[in-house]
Amino acid sequence: MKKYTNTGNKDTRSGFGAGLAELGKANENVVALCADLTGSLKMDDFKNNHPERFFQIGIAEANMIGIASGMTIGGKIPFTGTFANFSTGRVYDQIRQSVAYAGKNVKICASHAGLTLGEDGATHQILEDLGLMKMLPGMTVINTCDYNQTKAATIAIAEYEGPIYLRFGRPKVANFTPEDQKFEIGKAVLLNEGNDVTIIATGHLVWEALIAAEKLEEKGISAEVINIHSIKPLDEAAILASVKKTGCVVTAEEHNIIGGLGESVARTLSLNNPAPQEFIGTNDTFGESGTPEQLMEKYGLNAEAIFAASEKVIKRK
Amino acid sequence: MPNTQQLEDFVSQVRRDILRQVHKVNSGHPGGSLGCAEFFTALYQEVMEHNSDFNMDGIGEDLFFLSNGHISPVFYSVLARSGYFPVEELNTFRLIDSRLQGHPTTHEGLPGVRTASGSLGQGMSVAIGAAQAKKLNNDSHLVYTLHGDGELQEGQNWEAIMYASAKKVDNLISTVDLNGQQIDGSTDDVLPMGSIKAKFEAFGWTVLEVKEGNNITKVIEGLNKAKSLTGKGKPVCILMTTMMGNGVDFMMHSHKWHGVAPNDEQLENALGQNPETLGDY
């Protein structure tokens, strides 16, 4: 079993900021828009080095999405930055009409997604954004797992023509993917090969899945771990190949199990190769205030929960 | 440049196109479309520098964004008769497999349309983005928009209006069609908005008024005046008073023709009031 090393906890939002800073130097068509959360989104480097290409919109997310759409007319590549809640639910119709339906090359970059936003509570902890965004025709949906991957994804999506939702978060989490990785939209990353169960995780749950796999190995269970950073398009071939081998699957995401990655995996399996599946995610509930660790424990989004779900799903084979 | 008679002939044909489009499919929005026939004609036949060999980025030309997308019949007619696509295609308005969707969109690749609109209140934001992109590209051309007056009840407009002046988006000319009507009745009955002029001025815009929005000469004068006021640090607003259903006597003075198509007899009556000048499609 492959071992992964945490090179030091870092926040994924800082990966976004670092990626955006590189894009600022490399691509003069990249513009950045922010709705009064420049510091939280780690956009200060871009703002300071490219002030003519940084647009402070104020607390007006609907206007920000519309302006971003308009900036594509003239060849700009806009990156919008605000919290995931205000990047999706608050502006759903603006994204639907002015970005997705209009087919505009806007990169909607969303921080503070999910429960790990922590103490601010449920008003800010969106757990429905992946579902909202994956339902939009033509929208690409990405949820990265660590600093390095978020930085690589930020740089990669500038090269892709079309609307993208890029989701990341606030807490400092393990940074374990390669610094020099090539980020391929729609391509699953096989982290560990195994035969007894497939664990498909996204975002902050990927590291937890690796911890769970280690614990499963101690009990003689061989777990295959797949990092799905692209919820849409989904790497169906990778999922089907793995589940054909293992015969069962656990999906893990910091999101409502209704509408998230798990349902996309279930649809893929039901159409091609039905198999037992357990869902790690929030169960049709809002979050609440607390530390990220407390919340992930209370709502069952950690290595222990993935471990237990794996044992359970193997019994259902 | 066309003379006034030629422009009026163009308007008459546009009115016929509007009526025939909505009649054929028994759906669509003739009232607001008819009220803006002069405005679209002025923009596309006289005021804007534009290229009917359509390119989405529109660098080196003026751009127009229709925010109140439901008046698509007038937009489609004027685009077709300005050379963006064959006028015969107006026959496909609102039909299955058509590029002429009920509300304008880029989705089917109709030349001349640069965004989707229909869900109200979004056009000004998009236009501001396009205007700021023009500045980044050192493109001195202008961005025009049209909005309904009822549409200003949508809050996103006011985010955009606030932003445009704060950020000195002075290559933007936004026209508000003051026809005083919306679906449920007059704007004063549905939600009185007070002085729209005072509101735009308070938000830092330069405001012009065109009291005769169905007089092609006055509309052109207003638009040219607005052009002369661009580049001075402020966005420019034109408050243009029009008559919903203008040019068809039984459609005027009422909100009832906002989204209702004429029947066969009504169409014949309406067309009789607007002579065929450029040839029906």
Side-chain angles (χ1 to χ4, degrees), chain A residues 182-310:
Chain A
K182 181 171 173 359
F183 187 88
E184 288 184 74
I185 295 169
K187 190 84 179 151
V189 181
L190 179 61
L191 292 174
N192 256 322
E193 291 190 48
N195 298 307
D196 299 327
V197 59
T198 300
I199 303 172
I200 298 175
T202 190
H204 293 144
L205 271 294
V206 175
W207 180 250
E208 298 295 319
L210 288 171
I211 296 170
E214 281 186 28
K215 290 183 178 158
L216 287 163
E217 189 184 41
E218 288 167 14
K219 288 196 73 176
I221 296 169
S222 161
E224 182 143 304
V225 181
I226 297 175
N227 170 13
I228 289 284
H229 50 60
S230 298
I231 312 290
K232 183 184 166 190
L234 188 66
D235 191 344
E236 298 189 348
I239 292 167
L240 289 169
S242 178
V243 177
K244 193 176 175 190
K245 181 173 61 172
T246 63
C248 63
V249 61
V250 173
T251 52
E253 58 197 307
E254 192 180 344
H255 189 273
N256 193 345
I257 59 172
I258 299 173
L261 167 67
E263 284 196 345
S264 290
V265 170
R267 173 173 45 77
T268 302
L269 293 174
S270 68
L271 284 168
N272 297 283
N273 179 26
Q277 179 176 352
E278 291 292 324
F279 294 75
I280 296 297
T282 54
N283 189 0
D284 199 18
T285 183
F286 291 105
E288 62 182 288
S289 291
T291 67
E293 298 74 20
Q294 288 170 337
L295 290 162
M296 295 297 262
E297 163 130 24
K298 176 167 177 176
Y299 290 88
L301 306 181
N302 55 19
E304 289 72 30
I306 295 168
F307 176 88
S310 299

Side-chain angles (χ1 to χ4, degrees), chain A residues 63 76 93 97-98 102 104, chain B residues 106 114 119 122 125 137 156:
Chain A
N63 193 35
K76 301 305 161 197
D93 189 47
Q97 175 170 286
S98 293
K104 299 304 185 192
Chain B
T106 58
R114 288 193 166 86
S119 177
Q122 300 186 26
S125 299
N137 289 332
Q156 185 182 345

